[in-house]
Amino acid sequence: MSSTVHCVIGSGPAGVACARALVARGARVLMLDAGLELEADRAQIVRELAATSPAAWPPEKVSALTGDLQAKASGVPTKLIFGSDFPYRDAGGHLPWHGPDTAIRPSLALGGLSNAWGAAMLPHRDADIAGWPITNADLAPHFRAVTQITGLAAETDALAELFPLHCDQPQPLPASRQVQRFLNHLGRHRTRLNQRGWHFGRSRLAVRAADNERGQGCVCCGLCLSGCPYDCIYNSAGTVRQLRAEKNFTYQGDVIVTRLREDSTGVHLEARHRVTGAPLTFAAGRVYLAAGVI
């Protein structure tokens, strides 16, 4: 095992992918993260629902987690998770930023915005990255590595010609009657649609569609937009929990990193405690900034 400390800043998908790769190489990894989590009372309700089948769920407990969510054609005003705004809370105070006319918001949560994402998983097409210095052939093994972490609910269909699955055993989610009727209708007109540049297929989602060693598969409970009690929708917070079982991985929450300074001895990190504001310092041989696209 390497004696050099590798510091990863952030616990979102980029952070956990980086940390997993480093741990697999025997590196000592310190993950620094703000680490906000779901409130204890809501988390208890989630655990109670996860221990039973949807048919046995008390309506008042389901209502406590879904709130007054109203999904419309225009979208969802703010996508709360289990009725909580914890994925977005406190970000404005700790991460000054300006984003006029945009609905995107930064996150200080454990798992980042993977707490609230829609879990769509389509790779790039060659045309999408024509101007990049790397190609899809370069990215293919990394796409495959990602699906091994997240799982993939998908089906081998005509869409795979444009968007390879990068997964040996995808598990499709059951289609509703409406979706199946729509796909059948498209299928009857496939040739004409393809000639006009239209291609179609099933969604690709980072969702556990069937039971496996990580847990129960999707039971179509209908709470996808509010949060999955069975943790079927991939959230990188789950990968952090797995990493914490590794002896050469350390997670430290409630940390807001403010500055990096590099010299001949390594990288020095200046930070503050998220709650108390107390100054914190860390040192590492290398630092990987994985704090999200914002």
Side-chain angles (χ1 to χ4, degrees):
M1 182 175 70
S2 171
S3 60
T4 301
V5 174
H6 296 254
C7 181
V8 176
I9 303 174
S11 62
V16 299
C18 180
R20 273 178 54 113
L22 290 168
V23 168
R25 296 181 182 186
R28 293 173 56 208
V29 177
L30 169 65
M31 178 175 281
L32 300 179
D33 188 39
L36 273 72
E37 297 187 70
L38 183 67
E39 300 91 332
D41 56 342
R42 294 184 184 276
Q44 177 59 33
I45 296 175
V46 172
R47 287 191 291 270
E48 291 172 8
L49 297 189
T52 59
S53 67
W57 287 352
E60 67 277 8
K61 291 192 174 182
V62 174
S63 180
L65 298 184
T66 59
D68 59 353
L69 174 68
Q70 306 228 349
K72 302 178 181 178
S74 59
V76 178
T78 297
K79 187 178 180 184
L80 303 180
I81 298 301
F82 300 123
S84 171
D85 68 347
F86 82 94
Y88 323 104
R89 192 180 304 146
D90 293 346
H94 291 290
L95 303 173
W97 73 294
H98 185 56
D101 302 321
T102 177
I104 193 168
R105 298 166 66 178
S107 176
L108 295 181
L110 173 61
L113 290 175
S114 69
N115 284 282
W117 72 318
M121 290 274 287
L122 276 178
H124 301 294
R125 298 179 308 144
D126 289 327
D128 295 331
I129 58 172
W132 287 22
I134 56 176
T135 67
N136 263 326
D138 299 318
L139 290 170
H142 306 291
F143 283 138
R144 181 169 289 272
V146 166
T147 63
Q148 290 173 353
I149 297 173
T150 64
L152 188 67
E155 188 174 89
T156 303
D157 54 23
L159 205 59
E161 297 174 11
L162 290 175
F163 301 100
L165 286 164
H166 299 295
C167 180
D168 293 328
Q169 296 181 317
Q171 295 283 341
L173 289 165
S176 68
R177 287 176 296 180
Q178 182 183 27
V179 166
Q180 194 58 60
R181 183 176 179 182
F182 181 51
L183 288 171
N184 291 342
H185 184 71
L186 290 172
R188 289 195 296 271
H189 302 278
R190 181 186 304 277
T191 300
R192 291 175 61 195
L193 287 168
N194 289 171
Q195 288 172 346
R196 292 182 166 102
W198 290 88
H199 301 270
F200 60 90
R202 293 286 301 275
S203 63
R204 311 277 185 82
L205 300 172
V207 171
R208 188 170 60 245
D211 296 357
N212 61 28
E213 69 281 358
R214 296 179 182 176
Q216 181 174 348
C218 175
V219 296
C220 301
C221 70
L223 294 188
C224 300
L225 282 178
S226 301
C228 178
Y230 301 104
D231 206 23
C232 292
I233 303 172
Y234 176 76
N235 182 340
S236 61
T239 305
V240 173
R241 287 191 286 270
Q242 294 170 3
L243 284 168
R244 292 178 81 165
E246 300 285 343
K247 64 180 181 180
N248 53 338
F249 176 85
T250 302
Y251 174 86
Q252 185 160 341
D254 289 328
V255 176
I256 304 291
V257 176
T258 57
R259 186 167 181 255
L260 306 179
R261 180 172 52 83
E262 189 172 8
D263 60 24
S264 60
T265 65
V267 187
H268 305 271
L269 299 91
E270 298 177 10
R272 66 174 182 270
H273 193 278
R274 180 185 65 85
V275 179
T276 68
L280 302 169
T281 59
F282 304 89
R286 293 186 177 184
V287 173
Y288 302 83
L289 182 60
V293 295
I294 297 177

